[in-house]
Amino acid sequence: MRVSVRLFHTLLLLTMAAFAYAGPLDSWQDTDARQAIVEFVEKTTQEGSPDFVPPRDRIAVFDNDGTLWAEQPVYFQLMFAIDRLRLLAEKHPARAEQEPYKTVLGGDLKKVLHESSIATILDIVTESHSGMTAAQFDRIARDWIKNARHPTKEKPFTGMVYQPMLELLEYLRAHGYKTFIASGGGRAFMRAWVEETYGIPPEQVIGSSVELEYKVIDGKPSLVRKREIGFLDDKEGKPVGIYRRIGRKPVIAFGNSDGDREMLEWTASREGPSLVGIIHHTDSAREWAYDRDSKIGKLDKALEQAGKENWLVVDMAKDWKRVFPD
Amino acid sequence: MRVSVRLFHTLLLLTMAAFAYAGPLDSWQDTDARQAIVEFVEKTTQEGSPDFVPPRDRIAVFDNDGTLWAEQPVYFQLMFAIDRLRLLAEKHPARAEQEPYKTVLGGDLKKVLHESSIATILDIVTESHSGMTAAQFDRIARDWIKNARHPTKEKPFTGMVYQPMLELLEYLRAHGYKTFIASGGGRAFMRAWVEETYGIPPEQVIGSSVELEYKVIDGKPSLVRKREIGFLDDKEGKPVGIYRRIGRKPVIAFGNSDGDREMLEWTASREGPSLVGIIHHTDSAREWAYDRDSKIGKLDKALEQAGKENWLVVDMAKDWKRVFPD
C-alpha cells in the first residue's frame, strides 16, 4: 500500500506540473514555422485525429551542434579537445613534438581547423578523448563545461544553447514525445552536461564514440576508452545510429547541416506523419549567418532538398524572438 | 487547455493503474530470494532511506536467454537461424552445397550445435540474419516467433518465458525502475517480440548485431543488414554494450550464465546499493537442470563468484512456485 500512495503522490505532482505548463514556444515569432510545429504536434497527439501517433512511437531526434547550441567559430567539442591536449602537453613536455600535439600547440583555433585535414582533426579528438576510463572522462568533461568560456561571446558554452529549441524540446515532451539527441559530437562528451541543460537523459544521447574495453584494474571493474573510433554518427551514420539505439524511425527530426541530410531524408520517408526541420543560420546580429560556404555546419545539399521536398526551414532571424537564454 | 485536460486524464488513468497493482511476485515462493528482492527494492525506493536511489538512476538490466525465457536444447534464436537457412536453401537449391547451408541441412539441431565451432555457429547466424533491410528482417522475425513451436515442449517460444521474471519486471517498473535487456542474442531478433512479451520497448533492448548500412534503394531510404558482425553483446561485451546505451551503471542486474559474469561483477561494483542475481537452472521436472557442464548456458565461474561475493542465487526448483505462464 505504501507503494501505491507514493506513486499516487508522484503522479499528482506530475499532473500539477502538466497544468502549470503554459506559454509553449514563447521565444518563437508567430510565423509559419511556429504554426507548422504546433499544427503537427496537435494532429499527431489528438486522439481521433487521422494522423494520431501512439505514444510509443512519438520519437523526436535533434542534432546538437548548430541545432540545439551554437557551433562557431568551431565545434565547441573541438575547443575542449584542444584545451585538453594543451594541458597534457604541459604535464608531459616530451609530447609537444609529436602529432597531434604539434599541430595544436603550433596554431590558433582557426589555423588548426582550416589547415588541418579531417584525419588530423579526428586524431586530435581521439587522442584527447582516450587513454582514461569512462568515469575519468566524464569528470574531465564536466569540469571543462563548467569552467570554459566561449572565445568571443565570453559566456559558458551551456549559455549558448538556443532558447527556442529548449522550448521546443519541452513542448514536445509535454505532448508525449521522447526527445533524443543524434549528433556527430561525442556521446560521452554530451552526456556530461545535456541532462541538466536540455532535460535529455544519457540513454537518449546518440553520438560518435571511441571503442570501450572492459577491464578489471586493481580489482576495480572499469571501462577503458581506447584510441580508436568506435562509431561516427554523421551523415549516413545518423540513420544507422538512431536505428541501433531506438529500433524505430523517428516522427520528428531537426538538423542544420548537410551532416543531417540522411537523417532528415530517412525520417521524412516514414509511413504516416513526419516533421523534418532545418535550423537556418541567418542571424549575423544575434548569432552567426552561414550556410553553403561554411566549413563548420555547411548547409548546401540539405537546403536544396528541403526546398524540393517541403521540409520546414526555420529562419533564425525571422522566426525566433530571441536566440540565447539571457 | 485541451492538452492539459488530456494529460490530466492520462495521469489519472496511470494513478488508477498504480492502485490496481496488487500481488507482486505471486509466482515466487516465500523464500530468501523473494525477500532479498523485496527488501532491496523497498530500501532503494523509499524516500529518506539511506540507500535511496533517485528515479533517474533506477536502471535494471536482464540477460534474456536462460534468464527471461528458456534456452534448451539450444538458444531459440539458433532454431530461427536454421529454419531460415532451410527455407533459403529450398528457394535457392544451388546454395545447399555451400557453407553454412551444408552444415545446417546435413544434421539435426543437436548435431549442428555439438559438432560445430563457434565460428560456424556465428556464420549460420550472420548468413541467416543479413542480406535484407531492417524492415524486412523485422517482418521475418515477427512471422517466425508467431508460428514456430518448441521441438519438445510444443509451445510457442513466447510461452516459454518465466512467469516469476515477468512479475519481477513488472514489480521493478511499478517502483520506478527502467527495465532493459542486455543479451548475447540479436538486438533486432528480440525487438520483434519483447515489447509485447515483456513490456520492454525497442530502445531498451541491448543485444548483438550485424552492421547496418544506410542506402537509398529505388528512391526508398533503407537500412541494409550486412553480412558482418557489428557487436557481440556477451561476456566483456555486456558492460560495454550497457554503457554505450545507457551511460550509467545499472543498480540491478540478473543473468544465468558465465556470459553474464562481467555484467554482474561490473554492476556489483557500483558505488551505492546494487542487486546482482543469477537464475540457477535446478528444475529438471518443470524446466531443465544444468550448470557447469552445459554447452548452452554454462554456469561455472559466475556461480563460484556468486558464492564468494554474496550475489543472489535464485534456485528455480526451490524459489519459484511456477515456471511458465500457463
Side-chain angles (χ1 to χ4, degrees), chain B residues 21 23-29 31 33-34 37 62 66-70 159-173 198 254 279 283 286-287 314-326:
Chain B
Y21 177 74
L25 308 179
D26 269 352
S27 302
W28 291 72
Q29 299 283 5
T31 50
R34 184 183 187 286
I37 290 169
F62 292 83
T67 300
L68 295 180
W69 76 349
M160 297 188 64
V161 299
Y162 302 134
Q163 177 63 27
M165 297 307 281
L166 294 182
E167 293 167 13
L168 178 55
L169 291 171
E170 197 54 56
Y171 176 67
L172 291 174
R173 288 193 291 253
Y198 302 137
F254 275 83
I279 307 302
D283 197 330
R286 297 183 299 180
E287 208 238 5
V314 175
D315 181 324
M316 239 182 187
K318 256 182 48 201
D319 293 326
W320 286 0
K321 280 188 203 158
R322 52 179 186 158
V323 175
F324 299 120
D326 53 33

Side-chain angles (χ1 to χ4, degrees), chain A residues 1-9 11-12 14-16 18-19 21 42 45-47 56 59 134-135 138 142 174-175 178 180 187-188 191 195 201-205 209 211-214 216 220-223 236-237 239-240 242-249 261-263 265-266 269 271, chain B residues 1-8 11-12 14-16 18-19 21 42 45-47 56 58-59 134-135 138 142 174-175 178 180 187-188 191 195 201-205 209 211-214 216 220-223 236-237 239-240 242-249 261-263 265-266 269 271:
Chain A
M1 194 58 197
R2 209 162 25 196
V3 176
S4 304
V5 171
R6 200 175 50 252
L7 234 167
F8 180 78
H9 184 70
L11 292 168
L12 196 68
L14 275 169
T15 309
M16 288 161 64
F19 272 102
Y21 177 73
E42 292 194 344
T45 57
Q46 278 169 10
E47 278 193 66
R56 76 176 284 281
I59 304 286
D138 187 60
R142 279 173 199 273
H175 286 77
K178 210 163 169 179
F180 287 78
R187 186 177 61 205
R191 279 174 170 169
E195 185 162 27
E203 65 269 30
Q204 287 161 225
V205 177
S209 58
E211 289 288 359
L212 297 171
E213 186 182 5
Y214 179 76
V216 179
K220 202 175 148 55
S222 304
L223 292 166
E236 63 283 350
V240 171
I242 294 166
Y243 194 80
R244 278 162 41 144
R245 181 71 65 88
I246 311 178
R248 272 168 291 164
K249 207 175 269 189
R261 198 187 62 77
E262 288 85 352
M263 169 179 84
E265 165 185 87
W266 180 64
S269 76
E271 276 182 57
Chain B
M1 197 55 197
R2 211 160 24 195
V3 175
S4 303
V5 170
R6 201 175 47 253
L7 234 166
F8 181 75
L11 292 168
L12 197 68
L14 276 168
T15 309
M16 288 162 63
F19 272 102
Y21 177 74
E42 291 193 344
T45 57
Q46 278 168 10
E47 277 191 67
R56 77 173 284 279
R58 289 184 205 158
I59 303 285
D138 187 60
R142 279 173 199 274
H175 287 77
K178 211 165 169 177
F180 287 78
R187 185 178 61 204
R191 279 175 170 169
E195 185 161 25
E203 65 268 30
Q204 285 160 228
V205 177
S209 58
E211 289 289 359
L212 296 171
E213 184 183 5
Y214 179 76
V216 179
K220 203 177 146 57
S222 305
L223 292 166
E236 64 283 352
V240 171
I242 294 166
Y243 194 80
R244 279 163 37 145
R245 180 72 65 88
I246 311 178
R248 273 168 289 164
K249 208 174 269 191
R261 197 187 63 77
E262 287 85 351
M263 169 178 84
E265 165 185 88
W266 180 64
S269 74
E271 275 181 58

Side-chain angles (χ1 to χ4, degrees), chain B residues 274-316:
Chain B
S274 60
L275 174 67
V276 158
I278 287 179
I279 307 302
H280 191 187
H281 293 264
T282 51
D283 197 330
S284 60
R286 297 183 299 180
E287 208 238 5
W288 286 273
Y290 59 96
D291 48 31
R292 289 198 159 76
D293 301 319
S294 181
K295 184 154 181 178
I296 295 284
K298 180 185 167 109
L299 173 66
D300 181 11
K301 276 188 165 183
L303 193 60
E304 199 188 312
Q305 196 164 346
K308 277 188 201 150
E309 302 182 17
N310 266 319
W311 298 348
L312 175 66
V313 178
V314 175
D315 181 324
M316 239 182 187

Side-chain angles (χ1 to χ4, degrees), chain B residues 30 36 42 50 53 55 94 103 105 121 140 163 176 218 261 268 279 321:
Chain B
D30 194 15
E42 291 193 344
V53 174
T103 300
L105 298 173
I121 301 281
I140 292 167
Q163 177 63 27
D218 300 331
R261 197 187 63 77
I279 307 302
K321 280 188 203 158

